[in-house]
Amino acid sequence: MEIQKIKWGIIGLGNIANQFAADLQLLKDAELTAVASRDSDKAKEFAQKYNCTKAYNSYDALFEDENVDIIYIATPHNSHAELSIKALENGKHVLCEKPIALSYTDALRMTEASKKYNKFFMEAFWTRFIPSVQDVLSKVIDGEIGDVNYIKADFAFIGNETEGGRLFDKKSGGGALFDIGVYPLFLSYIMLGIPKEIIAKSIFHKNDIDLQTSMILQYDNAQAILHASIVSESDMKAVIGGSKGRIELNAPWFMANGYSVFKEEKEIAFGFPNFGKGYSYEAIECNNCIRNNQIESKLWSHQNSLDLSRMVEGIKNQVGLEF
Ligand SMILES: NC(=O)c1ccc[n+]([C@@H]2O[C@H](COP(=O)([O-])OP(=O)(O)OC[C@H]3O[C@@H](n4cnc5c(N)ncnc54)[C@H](OP(=O)(O)O)[C@@H]3O)[C@@H](O)[C@H]2O)c1
């Protein structure tokens, strides 16, 4: 029997929208039904590239398209809250890019809108669904490396300060913490939960966005040493250390294709090649939740996004970052 496909729409046809659309094409139970850009030529070109029938030159037109089940919001951070809420109000399920929002209050408004309109909503934290990361989490929970007492994770690259680019743009919510700092924070959160205390320091650009932010997360019996930068590089391996050994996620750890367990003076490597680039897994989760009438994922729930958003907001206030 042929399964009814979940019909996807995408708004904001930039870098990540292209990568996501390519991975969506790999799924048998999904189709890209409509896309929307502020620029009609861009919308047409994108639709053609990814075999999509409808191309709109306004986001509102896509919100009103009755054929679309779920909208993937791939616009800059500062627009996530309003666009997600609008999509939910229009009866659409939503997958919204990370970071969920620029404030905890906005993140809460988004998850409340999901409940109010009874529509699925998830922050697109794709790393949560990467098979290596899932497997490492199971191993840690099963006690493979004993009690976790140390995490080291970073996300750092040399960004281009291009005209109109969102990464260095204060209005769009640019800077290291909100763009990539959320990843190491996410790893510490899924492994150890909410810390008792966070100590953070940033170095700022002349326009006041953070170029680099370093964080120490203090737990009762563990510490996480985390770093994010848009002006330098790092090896992008992540280490999870415990009382019986350690696990290293292969670089780049947030989309790792495998990991190694170091224990009793031996290294055992595990390989998990990703399907596509790795964005397909979050789309599969959305499709499954929608088919099961769930308004949130059990793996990356509303509360998970809210917890992370609160941690990020605390760091933002501590380092003196303002948008
Ligand atoms: N999960 C991941 O791995 C990953 C990777 C990269 C980025 N992201 C997230 O995805 C979001 C988009 O990032 P991106 O790298 O794809 O950005 P991008 O290349 O700049 O694309 C963003 C798109 O948003 C639309 N847009 C709407 N209002 C805009 C405005 N005021 N200024 C600029 N663009 C605007 C534009 O599409 P139209 O012109 O078509 O309307 C633009 O092409 C960010 O929140 C980022 O954190 C996630």
Side-chain angles (χ1 to χ4, degrees):
M1 196 180 69
E2 180 130 340
I3 189 165
Q4 179 107 32
K5 292 189 178 188
I6 302 284
K7 298 191 174 94
W8 284 75
I10 302 182
I11 66 167
L13 307 180
N15 157 41
I16 194 63
N18 272 281
Q19 300 192 54
F20 182 84
D23 269 11
L24 196 64
Q25 285 185 321
L26 304 173
L27 305 189
K28 288 199 177 70
D29 70 335
E31 74 174 33
L32 184 56
T33 302
V35 293
S37 168
R38 298 161 304 168
D39 171 332
S40 80
D41 287 343
K42 191 176 168 192
K44 280 186 208 141
E45 207 178 295
F46 191 100
Q48 204 169 24
K49 188 168 168 194
Y50 297 105
N51 259 335
C52 165
T53 41
K54 275 262 177 251
Y56 294 112
N57 65 357
S58 94
Y59 298 167
D60 283 342
L62 175 41
F63 292 147
E64 286 161 17
D65 185 331
E66 289 186 351
N67 275 320
V68 172
D69 299 315
I70 176 164
I71 299 182
Y72 170 55
I73 294 178
T75 57
H77 321 338
N78 61 326
S79 57
H80 290 174
E82 297 320 320
L83 293 172
S84 294
I85 292 169
K86 212 167 190 186
L88 291 161
E89 277 169 1
N90 277 272
K92 304 300 183 207
H93 304 293
V94 170
L95 173 67
C96 174
E97 256 313 329
K98 46 56 55 181
I100 181 170
L102 289 182
S103 72
Y104 177 79
T105 310
D106 276 350
L108 194 60
R109 286 171 55 224
M110 294 158 88
T111 55
E112 280 173 352
S114 163
K115 290 178 180 73
K116 179 172 175 191
Y117 297 103
N118 199 29
K119 291 290 158 190
F120 175 79
F121 172 81
M122 189 173 85
E123 179 187 17
F125 232 109
W126 64 306
T127 303
R128 179 65 184 88
F129 306 98
I130 295 288
S132 300
V133 174
Q134 301 234 50
D135 212 56
V136 166
L137 183 58
S138 304
K139 282 212 164 72
V140 166
I141 290 168
D142 292 346
E144 178 79 19
I145 54 166
D147 296 327
V148 173
N149 45 31
Y150 170 71
I151 289 180
K152 189 223 74 160
D154 46 31
F155 195 143
F157 63 92
I158 300 170
N160 280 331
E161 192 172 353
T162 49
E163 185 76 29
R166 58 169 191 83
L167 192 59
F168 286 79
D169 180 44
K170 187 171 174 178
K171 255 203 343 272
S172 315
L177 175 63
F178 277 79
D179 204 73
I180 49 178
V182 292
Y183 283 95
L185 285 165
F186 153 86
L187 188 69
S188 190
Y189 170 70
I190 61 164
M191 296 293 162
L192 293 166
I194 300 172
K196 268 178 31 183
E197 191 188 353
I198 301 180
I199 299 165
K201 288 277 182 200
S202 298
I203 290 176
F204 292 93
H205 192 36
K206 55 182 184 294
N207 72 0
D208 297 336
I209 60 151
D210 67 312
L211 294 171
Q212 56 190 83
T213 292
S214 294
M215 301 157 273
I216 300 176
L217 276 54
Q218 178 83 5
Y219 295 86
D220 277 335
N221 296 304
Q223 290 176 324
I225 316 293
L226 313 177
H227 179 71
S229 172
I230 54 172
V231 288
S232 59
E233 293 181 353
S234 70
D235 64 9
M236 297 234 231
K237 273 189 193 166
V239 180
I240 301 149
S243 53
K244 293 185 185 160
R246 75 178 195 278
I247 295 178
E248 288 189 9
L249 276 157
N250 296 353
W253 68 266
F254 51 85
M255 53 184 290
N257 62 2
Y259 63 89
S260 290
V261 178
F262 296 82
K263 210 172 139 179
E264 291 153 3
E265 292 175 23
K266 281 197 291 265
E267 173 184 351
I268 305 174
F270 298 84
F272 286 87
N274 285 325
F275 180 47
K277 185 113 193 251
Y279 298 105
S280 47
Y281 302 113
E282 62 181 358
I284 291 169
E285 176 71 1
C286 295
N287 288 353
N288 291 341
C289 289
I290 291 169
R291 289 190 200 290
N292 292 331
N293 294 318
Q294 288 170 230
I295 64 161
E296 59 184 313
S297 160
K298 293 192 175 104
L299 296 182
W300 192 246
S301 67
H302 291 177
Q303 191 57 48
N304 291 149
S305 287
L306 290 172
D307 288 346
L308 190 63
S309 173
R310 206 191 269 289
M311 285 162 63
V312 173
E313 184 152 283
I315 295 164
K316 169 181 171 264
N317 294 339
Q318 189 179 138
V319 299
L321 184 62
E322 281 174 22
F323 291 119

